[in-house]
Amino acid sequence: MRALLVVNPRATATTERSRDVLVRALESAADLTVRYTERRGHATTLARAAAESGVDVVVTLGGDGTVNEAVNGLMTAPAALAELAGPAAYRLPALAVVPGGSTNVFARALGLPRDWADGTSVILDGLRDGRHRVINLGRADDRYFTFTAGLGLDAAVIRRVEQARLRGRTSTPGLYLRATLGQFFTGIDRADPPMTMERPGETTETGLGTIIVQNTAPWTYAGDRPVDPNPDASFDLGLDVLALRRLSVSGTTRTVTQLAWRSGEPHGKQVLRLHDLADFTVMSSRPQAFQLDGDYLGERQKVHFVSVPSALRVIC
């Protein structure tokens, strides 16, 4: 078995010594090549090249951003794009994820241990037993995502957090809370919701202020606690949506309280929740912040979302 280990050397939850231990462990189970990412987008290039060369498994050590890049590399390899019978998952290398970031939503949603050493043990057992799971992915225009996408407030918050981290701040729940409050009260036009959502054969939804798309549950974590606006979202189904209409202080506070203290499932006049969607398009009258899997990707005014069934084999 041939394997590629893609390492983000800036991963927050590992050290050089722990990376050496991981390499030795994986070498016991596979013919291993190790590559370190050098820039944003590098993991995409490495994973695509691995798929083209016939590698059996791509292992990532990093956070959700590293995972997203690797997935996009696999899904844009020739084998994934070829017009062949059968799902892409069986034409591509499997993916194994060692949690090395600060939140690791994708790995935790798969049920992997939060600790990188325990996660490595699960992956080694999976490799030896040939155990894997086939999951669906989401696609936003030409970019794939594993667990979430967003337009509006949540993406703008991620932009603020990334800017703070560039200034040396540490990613913590408190940093996200401060970024959310700052963006909500000073960074958006709450009185004029700019977005609409179109679904084939359905009435267009208008007057939307922010949109969160889920490919699985939970949406994210606040420390150890899952935040779960659409608890029925699943890797085995289509995409789920939570959208908020006019972002009033009272209505948004009520929704946040429901998420924080009532086990998710927000409701109310300002809330739109949709389950198991195969295809929809979001449009905006003005540019909106846009994120995939917790990475800010600039501003967009139109995004076409698609659920991609049986897209990826994951060792778990």
Side-chain angles (χ1 to χ4, degrees), residues 132-185:
H132 67 264
R133 177 182 178 183
V134 175
I135 66 170
N136 299 349
L137 293 174
R139 190 177 71 231
D141 292 336
D142 59 352
R143 179 83 179 247
Y144 293 85
F145 60 97
T146 62
F147 65 93
T148 192
L151 281 159
L153 178 60
D154 86 308
V157 169
I158 288 171
R159 177 176 58 197
R160 284 196 173 216
V161 169
E162 289 189 358
Q163 291 169 346
R165 293 183 69 181
L166 289 174
R167 297 192 299 268
R169 301 293 296 276
T170 301
S171 180
T172 63
L175 177 60
Y176 275 92
L177 176 60
R178 290 189 294 274
T180 300
L181 293 173
Q183 185 64 32
F184 181 75
F185 286 108

Side-chain angles (χ1 to χ4, degrees), residues 24-25 34 42 59 65 68 80 94 96 108 111 114 131 159 181 183 195 197 207-208 227 239 256-257 287 297 312:
R24 289 196 294 271
V34 182
H42 195 195
V59 185
N68 179 276
R108 294 162 75 179
R114 191 172 181 181
R131 185 179 66 244
R159 177 176 58 197
L181 293 173
Q183 185 64 32
M195 287 185 278
M197 179 178 172
L208 305 177
V227 182
L239 302 172
V256 171
T257 301
L297 297 178
L312 190 68

Side-chain angles (χ1 to χ4, degrees), residues 6 26-27 31 50 70 74 112 145 172 186 204 211 253-254 274 293:
V6 177
L26 291 174
E27 284 177 336
D31 177 9
L74 294 175
L112 291 171
F145 60 97
T172 63
T186 66
T204 298
I211 294 174
T253 300
R254 182 167 54 251
L274 300 168
D293 286 345

Side-chain angles (χ1 to χ4, degrees), residues 99-124:
S102 58
T103 310
N104 306 301
V105 176
F106 180 63
R108 294 162 75 179
L110 287 168
L112 291 171
R114 191 172 181 181
D115 178 75
W116 72 267
D118 293 337
T120 299
S121 178
V122 171
I123 288 169
L124 289 173

Side-chain angles (χ1 to χ4, degrees), residues 17-32:
R17 180 179 180 182
S18 62
R19 291 194 291 268
D20 290 342
V21 172
L22 170 62
V23 168
R24 289 196 294 271
L26 291 174
E27 284 177 336
S28 70
D31 177 9
L32 184 69

